Amino acid sequence: MSAWPLRNLVLRTPRLELRPDDDEGLYELVDVALAGVHDPSEMPFYVPWTDNLPNDNGMSMLQHYWGTRAKFAAKDWVINFLVRRDGEVIGTQQIGARDFGVLREVNTGSWLGQSFQGNGFGTEMRIAVLQFAFDHLAARIARSAAWLGNHASTRVSEKLGYVHDGTVGVAPRGERLEHVRLRLDAADFVRPEWDVSVENLAECVQLITS
Ligand SMILES: CC(C)(COP(=O)(O)OP(=O)(O)OC[C@H]1O[C@@H](n2cnc3c(N)ncnc32)[C@H](O)[C@@H]1OP(=O)(O)O)[C@@H](O)C(=O)NCCC(=O)NCCS
């Protein structure tokens, strides 16, 4: 087994390439974030990390992703896929699980640079990790969540077959916001006409499905 078994993992969709993050790619991701992720009057994330970007030029964002990679463990992992179109980083699609071998559940989260939004990429990258989870890891349930007013994220979930699964209150900017929890069972997944291609999973499949 390689010292970093995720190193060569690649997911490919018709327009996108997803690879676990590396430092060069993260620097590109920081530039994408600095150019803008969402309307500054709104906060779509649990942790208001985008509010801090102008203060530190993305250093704490970088440290967050390093932290996620550093804490990667068989029974509690998050893969932060950098999403590229024509070789250029446009955003990130995360997938994670705890006790996957028992629960067969994954969680996902994502964002794209503002200038890349609204072109179907968010849907395509979510499908990529859903097919990865259901078809290649034998997951049974995928979960997500979005602020009630996040129409794009909620729409992506709903068109892929997720159902509402309650709400949770969060306060990223010190005021209560309601987030909707979303749940997709494998059998309810509304599939596209294409299949994601997955390369070099053999090197890490045992680690993430144990
Ligand atoms: C959420 C996000 C990843 C979605 O990616 P995207 O590429 O913009 O999404 P897509 O183009 O694939 O699909 C968006 C869907 O929402 C719809 N939509 C977008 N804005 C909408 C609005 N204000 N009201 C209703 N529907 C809306 C689009 O029409 C599209 O649906 P359709 O395919 O049926 O037409 C992206 O918008 C993003 O990064 N947003 C900022 C960060 C964020 O909110 N991350 C998620 C936190 S939970």
Side-chain angles (χ1 to χ4, degrees):
M1 193 167 91
S2 142
W4 186 238
L6 299 175
R7 189 170 171 188
N8 299 311
L9 182 63
V10 191
L11 313 188
R12 292 184 209 279
T13 69
R15 295 181 295 170
L16 305 174
E17 183 191 86
L18 286 75
R19 291 176 184 265
D21 63 9
D22 59 9
D23 286 358
E24 283 310 311
L26 281 179
Y27 290 124
E28 273 189 70
L29 189 69
V30 168
D31 288 340
V32 174
L34 287 169
V37 178
H38 58 82
D39 179 344
S41 69
E42 297 174 348
M43 178 41 70
F45 302 111
Y46 280 179
V47 176
W49 60 273
T50 44
D51 284 349
N52 205 33
L53 285 169
N55 304 327
D56 70 359
N57 248 351
M59 184 168 136
S60 50
M61 167 186 167
L62 205 54
Q63 288 176 312
H64 164 77
Y65 289 115
W66 285 336
T68 302
R69 219 190 305 160
K71 281 185 291 200
F72 185 98
K75 293 193 183 328
D76 187 359
W77 54 265
V78 173
I79 302 173
N80 178 46
F81 282 107
L82 295 176
V83 179
R84 289 187 175 84
R85 186 197 51 167
D86 299 331
E88 180 193 10
V89 173
I90 62 169
T92 168
Q93 174 68 59
Q94 294 183 359
I95 180 170
R98 279 192 189 152
D99 293 319
F100 183 85
V102 179
L103 301 176
R104 299 270 155 199
E105 294 190 12
V106 293
N107 269 292
T108 69
S110 62
W111 61 266
L112 286 167
Q114 235 168 345
S115 59
F116 305 107
Q117 295 171 15
N119 296 298
F121 295 137
T123 305
E124 201 166 312
M125 63 207 218
R126 182 91 69 88
I127 291 171
V129 292
L130 288 174
Q131 290 188 346
F132 174 63
F134 290 141
D135 302 344
H136 296 262
L137 308 181
R140 288 200 289 253
I141 297 169
R143 298 185 185 275
S144 184
W147 167 55
L148 212 48
N150 193 337
H151 301 295
S153 178
T154 308
R155 173 79 189 121
V156 170
S157 297
E158 287 175 346
K159 69 183 175 180
L160 297 180
Y162 288 76
V163 293
H164 287 209
D165 187 29
T167 60
V168 58
V170 296
R173 282 178 171 166
E175 284 171 19
R176 184 186 167 85
L177 279 185
E178 196 96 336
H179 277 228
V180 178
R181 295 192 310 208
L182 295 139
R183 169 184 169 140
L184 176 63
D185 289 16
D188 298 331
F189 181 23
V190 178
R191 290 171 176 274
E193 283 167 2
W194 48 269
D195 282 329
V196 69
S197 111
V198 177
E199 292 167 25
N200 305 315
L201 176 61
E203 294 169 32
C204 59
V205 69
Q206 254 188 317
L207 187 63
I208 58 183
T209 55
S210 64

